[in-house]
Amino acid sequence: MKLQLALDLVDIQGAIEVVKQVESYVDVVEIGTPIVINEGLHAVKALKEAFPNMTVLADLKIMDAGGYEVMKASEAGADIVTILGVAEDASITGAVEEAKKQGKQILVDMIAVKNLAERAAQVDALGVDYICVHTGYDLQAEGQNSFEDLRTLKSVVKNAKVAVAGGIKLSTLPEVIAAGPDLVIVGGGITGQADMRAVASEMQQLIKQG
C-alpha cells in the first residue's frame, strides 16, 4: 500500500516547499488539476527536476485525445497520468497504448461514474494500471466519502491496482486501510495540517502496519 500526496491549491514553488517537508513519508506526489490549469505541464517538469527519484502523477483528468495528452505529460516527466472513467473506451485505450510506449502508468479516475461496478470491470479489461474511486471536492462538501465505493471496486477489479481519494484524513485512515487499497491519496488531510511532516509520518506508519 502506497501513500500519494495530492497538491491542489499551491503554485510550483509552494508545491516544492510542501514536498520538501514530507518527501520521506510519501511514495507518489500528485500535481493536481488546479495546478496544471494554473501553471501548465511545466509544473510537472519542475517537480520532477526538483525530486528526480520521486514518482510524480499528473492529474490531467483526460477526457479526449488520450494518446496525445499522455505523450505530453510523459515528456514533462510524469510517471503516472490520469484519465476519466467516463471517457470513451477509445480514449482510455489510446492513453494506455501511449503510456506503455513511454514506460508510464495510467490511473483511471472514476469520479462521476454512475454504475461503478459495471464501468470498473470494463475499464479493468482495457489494461489500465490503477482504478481510483474518488469523491470529488463538491460532494465532500455534502458529507460524502469514497469508502463504500472502495469496497465495490475491490469486489470487481481483477487486474489493475485500486486507489482511493477524497476527504481522507488521519482519523479516517484506519477505515480506508481496512478496505485494502493499493494507493491511498491524501490532499488536505496532509497539506491542511499545521505540522504536515508529523501527519504524513503518522499516516505512513499506519499504512506500513496495514
Side-chain angles (χ1 to χ4, degrees):
M1 201 181 297
K2 290 183 175 179
L3 177 61
Q4 176 172 313
L5 172 68
L7 297 170
D8 284 320
L9 302 175
V10 285
D11 56 16
I12 294 173
Q13 201 46 51
I16 289 170
E17 293 308 318
V18 171
V19 177
K20 274 183 190 165
Q21 291 185 56
V22 300
E23 63 175 312
S24 315
Y25 308 110
V26 300
D27 304 294
V28 182
V29 172
E30 168 189 333
I31 293 292
T33 316
I35 302 180
V36 175
I37 287 170
N38 288 336
E39 307 269 7
L41 278 172
H42 67 266
V44 174
K45 192 169 189 290
L47 204 89
K48 192 66 180 177
E49 284 173 356
F51 305 97
N53 300 320
M54 186 74 83
T55 299
V56 175
L57 178 143
D59 189 19
L60 301 192
K61 292 191 175 75
I62 296 168
M63 191 63 187
D64 192 19
Y68 177 77
E69 295 194 2
V70 168
M71 179 181 73
K72 298 316 283 183
S74 299
E75 284 171 4
D79 302 291
I80 307 171
V81 186
T82 69
I83 187 166
L84 294 176
V86 291
E88 300 288 355
D89 286 4
S91 299
I92 297 174
T93 303
V96 168
E97 286 172 359
E98 184 62 31
K100 285 193 177 6
K101 209 188 290 179
Q102 304 283 352
K104 310 295 186 178
Q105 293 186 306
I106 295 296
L107 180 146
V108 175
D109 186 335
M110 302 297 278
I111 194 168
V113 167
K114 296 305 175 207
N115 189 330
L116 183 62
E118 179 185 48
R119 187 58 178 150
Q122 292 167 351
V123 166
D124 192 32
L126 298 177
V128 305
D129 301 283
Y130 289 93
I131 301 175
C132 178
V133 284
H134 182 189
T135 300
Y137 185 81
D138 297 329
L139 287 185
Q140 284 177 48
E142 295 173 10
Q144 295 191 31
N145 66 45
S146 308
F147 310 155
E148 196 52 50
D149 288 345
L150 175 58
R151 283 184 273 276
T152 302
L153 199 63
K154 289 278 290 184
S155 70
V156 296
V157 171
K158 304 280 185 279
N159 307 305
K161 290 179 175 170
V162 171
V164 58
I168 299 166
K169 45 189 186 286
L170 196 53
S171 60
T172 58
L173 185 59
E175 189 185 348
V176 175
I177 291 169
D182 301 290
L183 185 63
V184 179
I185 302 170
V186 181
I190 292 174
T191 60
Q193 308 309 304
D195 191 340
M196 291 186 273
R197 188 180 173 85
V199 173
S201 167
E202 208 171 327
M203 283 187 165
Q204 186 61 264
Q205 243 172 330
L206 285 172
I207 284 169
K208 283 193 172 131
Q209 288 161 9

